[in-house]
PDB file of all heavy atoms in Angstrom:
ATOM      1  N   PHE A1571     109.561  86.246 100.228  1.00  0.00           N
ATOM      2  CA  PHE A1571     109.320  85.403 101.390  1.00  0.00           C
ATOM      3  C   PHE A1571     108.119  85.936 102.139  1.00  0.00           C
ATOM      4  O   PHE A1571     107.854  87.130 102.128  1.00  0.00           O
ATOM      5  CB  PHE A1571     110.555  85.377 102.295  1.00  0.00           C
ATOM      6  CG  PHE A1571     111.689  84.604 101.698  1.00  0.00           C
ATOM      7  CD1 PHE A1571     112.629  85.239 100.893  1.00  0.00           C
ATOM      8  CD2 PHE A1571     111.795  83.241 101.914  1.00  0.00           C
ATOM      9  CE1 PHE A1571     113.659  84.516 100.304  1.00  0.00           C
ATOM     10  CE2 PHE A1571     112.829  82.516 101.327  1.00  0.00           C
ATOM     11  CZ  PHE A1571     113.757  83.147 100.523  1.00  0.00           C
ATOM     12  N   CYS A1572     107.385  85.045 102.724  1.00  0.00           N
ATOM     13  CA  CYS A1572     106.176  85.445 103.444  1.00  0.00           C
ATOM     14  C   CYS A1572     106.554  86.292 104.652  1.00  0.00           C
ATOM     15  O   CYS A1572     107.368  85.878 105.472  1.00  0.00           O
ATOM     16  CB  CYS A1572     105.432  84.194 103.880  1.00  0.00           C
ATOM     17  SG  CYS A1572     103.965  84.542 104.839  1.00  0.00           S
ATOM     18  N   LYS A1573     105.967  87.476 104.757  1.00  0.00           N
ATOM     19  CA  LYS A1573     106.247  88.346 105.898  1.00  0.00           C
ATOM     20  C   LYS A1573     105.624  87.803 107.168  1.00  0.00           C
ATOM     21  O   LYS A1573     106.021  88.157 108.258  1.00  0.00           O
ATOM     22  CB  LYS A1573     105.704  89.746 105.617  1.00  0.00           C
ATOM     23  CG  LYS A1573     106.625  90.583 104.748  1.00  0.00           C
ATOM     24  CD  LYS A1573     107.727  91.188 105.587  1.00  0.00           C
ATOM     25  CE  LYS A1573     108.869  91.653 104.694  1.00  0.00           C
ATOM     26  NZ  LYS A1573     110.120  91.748 105.430  1.00  0.00           N
ATOM     27  N   ARG A1574     104.624  86.953 107.008  1.00  0.00           N
ATOM     28  CA  ARG A1574     103.956  86.400 108.188  1.00  0.00           C
ATOM     29  C   ARG A1574     104.777  85.318 108.862  1.00  0.00           C
ATOM     30  O   ARG A1574     104.955  85.323 110.062  1.00  0.00           O
ATOM     31  CB  ARG A1574     102.606  85.787 107.818  1.00  0.00           C
ATOM     32  CG  ARG A1574     101.575  86.771 107.490  1.00  0.00           C
ATOM     33  CD  ARG A1574     100.168  86.383 107.954  1.00  0.00           C
ATOM     34  NE  ARG A1574      99.317  87.493 107.583  1.00  0.00           N
ATOM     35  CZ  ARG A1574      99.289  88.636 108.234  1.00  0.00           C
ATOM     36  NH1 ARG A1574     100.007  88.806 109.323  1.00  0.00           N
ATOM     37  NH2 ARG A1574      98.549  89.633 107.808  1.00  0.00           N
ATOM     38  N   CYS A1575     105.260  84.370 108.045  1.00  0.00           N
ATOM     39  CA  CYS A1575     105.900  83.205 108.654  1.00  0.00           C
ATOM     40  C   CYS A1575     107.321  82.965 108.152  1.00  0.00           C
ATOM     41  O   CYS A1575     108.009  82.099 108.662  1.00  0.00           O
ATOM     42  CB  CYS A1575     105.034  81.970 108.418  1.00  0.00           C
ATOM     43  SG  CYS A1575     105.104  81.376 106.719  1.00  0.00           S
ATOM     44  N   GLY A1576     107.759  83.730 107.138  1.00  0.00           N
ATOM     45  CA  GLY A1576     109.141  83.596 106.682  1.00  0.00           C
ATOM     46  C   GLY A1576     109.358  82.512 105.639  1.00  0.00           C
ATOM     47  O   GLY A1576     110.446  82.400 105.069  1.00  0.00           O
ATOM     48  N   ALA A1577     108.327  81.694 105.356  1.00  0.00           N
ATOM     49  CA  ALA A1577     108.481  80.633 104.356  1.00  0.00           C
ATOM     50  C   ALA A1577     108.516  81.239 102.945  1.00  0.00           C
ATOM     51  O   ALA A1577     108.014  82.340 102.737  1.00  0.00           O
ATOM     52  CB  ALA A1577     107.323  79.648 104.470  1.00  0.00           C
ATOM     53  N   PRO A1578     109.110  80.521 101.977  1.00  0.00           N
ATOM     54  CA  PRO A1578     109.125  81.071 100.607  1.00  0.00           C
ATOM     55  C   PRO A1578     107.705  81.202 100.048  1.00  0.00           C
ATOM     56  O   PRO A1578     106.839  80.394 100.365  1.00  0.00           O
ATOM     57  CB  PRO A1578     109.904  80.023  99.812  1.00  0.00           C
ATOM     58  CG  PRO A1578     110.589  79.174 100.807  1.00  0.00           C
ATOM     59  CD  PRO A1578     109.799  79.238 102.073  1.00  0.00           C
ATOM     60  N   LEU A1579     107.501  82.217  99.241  1.00  0.00           N
ATOM     61  CA  LEU A1579     106.220  82.345  98.546  1.00  0.00           C
ATOM     62  C   LEU A1579     106.289  81.522  97.272  1.00  0.00           C
ATOM     63  O   LEU A1579     107.337  81.434  96.632  1.00  0.00           O
ATOM     64  CB  LEU A1579     105.960  83.817  98.193  1.00  0.00           C
ATOM     65  CG  LEU A1579     105.744  84.777  99.365  1.00  0.00           C
ATOM     66  CD1 LEU A1579     105.625  86.216  98.861  1.00  0.00           C
ATOM     67  CD2 LEU A1579     104.502  84.400 100.170  1.00  0.00           C
ATOM     68  N   ARG A1593     101.281  82.638  96.661  1.00  0.00           N
ATOM     69  CA  ARG A1593     100.699  82.217  97.938  1.00  0.00           C
ATOM     70  C   ARG A1593     101.831  81.669  98.792  1.00  0.00           C
ATOM     71  O   ARG A1593     102.864  81.213  98.263  1.00  0.00           O
ATOM     72  CB  ARG A1593      99.591  81.186  97.742  1.00  0.00           C
ATOM     73  CG  ARG A1593     100.060  79.888  97.161  1.00  0.00           C
ATOM     74  CD  ARG A1593      98.904  78.913  96.969  1.00  0.00           C
ATOM     75  NE  ARG A1593      99.360  77.785  96.167  1.00  0.00           N
ATOM     76  CZ  ARG A1593     100.046  76.742  96.659  1.00  0.00           C
ATOM     77  NH1 ARG A1593     100.335  76.677  97.946  1.00  0.00           N
ATOM     78  NH2 ARG A1593     100.443  75.763  95.868  1.00  0.00           N
ATOM     79  N   CYS A1594     101.643  81.683 100.072  1.00  0.00           N
ATOM     80  CA  CYS A1594     102.687  81.207 100.970  1.00  0.00           C
ATOM     81  C   CYS A1594     102.745  79.684 100.909  1.00  0.00           C
ATOM     82  O   CYS A1594     101.716  79.017 100.818  1.00  0.00           O
ATOM     83  CB  CYS A1594     102.427  81.669 102.396  1.00  0.00           C
ATOM     84  SG  CYS A1594     103.675  81.053 103.540  1.00  0.00           S
ATOM     85  N   SER A1595     103.973  79.142 100.953  1.00  0.00           N
ATOM     86  CA  SER A1595     104.131  77.690 100.902  1.00  0.00           C
ATOM     87  C   SER A1595     103.798  77.053 102.247  1.00  0.00           C
ATOM     88  O   SER A1595     103.726  75.836 102.355  1.00  0.00           O
ATOM     89  CB  SER A1595     105.567  77.344 100.494  1.00  0.00           C
ATOM     90  OG  SER A1595     106.489  77.943 101.394  1.00  0.00           O
ATOM     91  N   SER A1596     103.595  77.887 103.267  1.00  0.00           N
ATOM     92  CA  SER A1596     103.388  77.307 104.593  1.00  0.00           C
ATOM     93  C   SER A1596     102.117  77.785 105.297  1.00  0.00           C
ATOM     94  O   SER A1596     101.348  76.977 105.801  1.00  0.00           O
ATOM     95  CB  SER A1596     104.618  77.617 105.455  1.00  0.00           C
ATOM     96  OG  SER A1596     104.398  77.244 106.775  1.00  0.00           O
ATOM     97  N   CYS A1597     101.868  79.111 105.295  1.00  0.00           N
ATOM     98  CA  CYS A1597     100.689  79.605 106.029  1.00  0.00           C
ATOM     99  C   CYS A1597      99.585  80.035 105.053  1.00  0.00           C
ATOM    100  O   CYS A1597      99.669  79.791 103.857  1.00  0.00           O
ATOM    101  CB  CYS A1597     101.063  80.743 106.980  1.00  0.00           C
ATOM    102  SG  CYS A1597     101.381  82.321 106.171  1.00  0.00           S
ATOM    103  N   ALA A1598      98.558  80.688 105.569  1.00  0.00           N
ATOM    104  CA  ALA A1598      97.384  81.009 104.745  1.00  0.00           C
ATOM    105  C   ALA A1598      97.549  82.289 103.934  1.00  0.00           C
ATOM    106  O   ALA A1598      96.659  82.665 103.165  1.00  0.00           O
ATOM    107  CB  ALA A1598      96.158  81.132 105.642  1.00  0.00           C
ATOM    108  N   PHE A1599      98.697  82.974 104.095  1.00  0.00           N
ATOM    109  CA  PHE A1599      98.898  84.239 103.380  1.00  0.00           C
ATOM    110  C   PHE A1599      98.907  84.001 101.865  1.00  0.00           C
ATOM    111  O   PHE A1599      99.606  83.124 101.371  1.00  0.00           O
ATOM    112  CB  PHE A1599     100.227  84.871 103.809  1.00  0.00           C
ATOM    113  CG  PHE A1599     100.506  86.192 103.155  1.00  0.00           C
ATOM    114  CD1 PHE A1599      99.825  87.335 103.553  1.00  0.00           C
ATOM    115  CD2 PHE A1599     101.454  86.292 102.144  1.00  0.00           C
ATOM    116  CE1 PHE A1599     100.078  88.567 102.946  1.00  0.00           C
ATOM    117  CE2 PHE A1599     101.709  87.512 101.526  1.00  0.00           C
ATOM    118  CZ  PHE A1599     101.023  88.650 101.935  1.00  0.00           C
ATOM    119  N   SER A1600      98.084  84.776 101.138  1.00  0.00           N
ATOM    120  CA  SER A1600      98.097  84.633  99.676  1.00  0.00           C
ATOM    121  C   SER A1600      97.624  85.931  99.041  1.00  0.00           C
ATOM    122  O   SER A1600      97.087  86.814  99.717  1.00  0.00           O
ATOM    123  CB  SER A1600      97.184  83.483  99.248  1.00  0.00           C
ATOM    124  OG  SER A1600      95.842  83.816  99.534  1.00  0.00           O
TER     125      SER A1600
HETATM  126 ZN1   ZN B2247     103.433  82.358 105.375  1.00  0.00          ZN
END
Side-chain angles (χ1 to χ4, degrees):
F1571 289 90
C1572 177
K1573 279 279 162 202
R1574 288 216 178 284
C1575 74
L1579 294 175
R1593 65 181 169 81
C1594 178
S1595 57
S1596 172
C1597 75
F1599 181 75
S1600 67

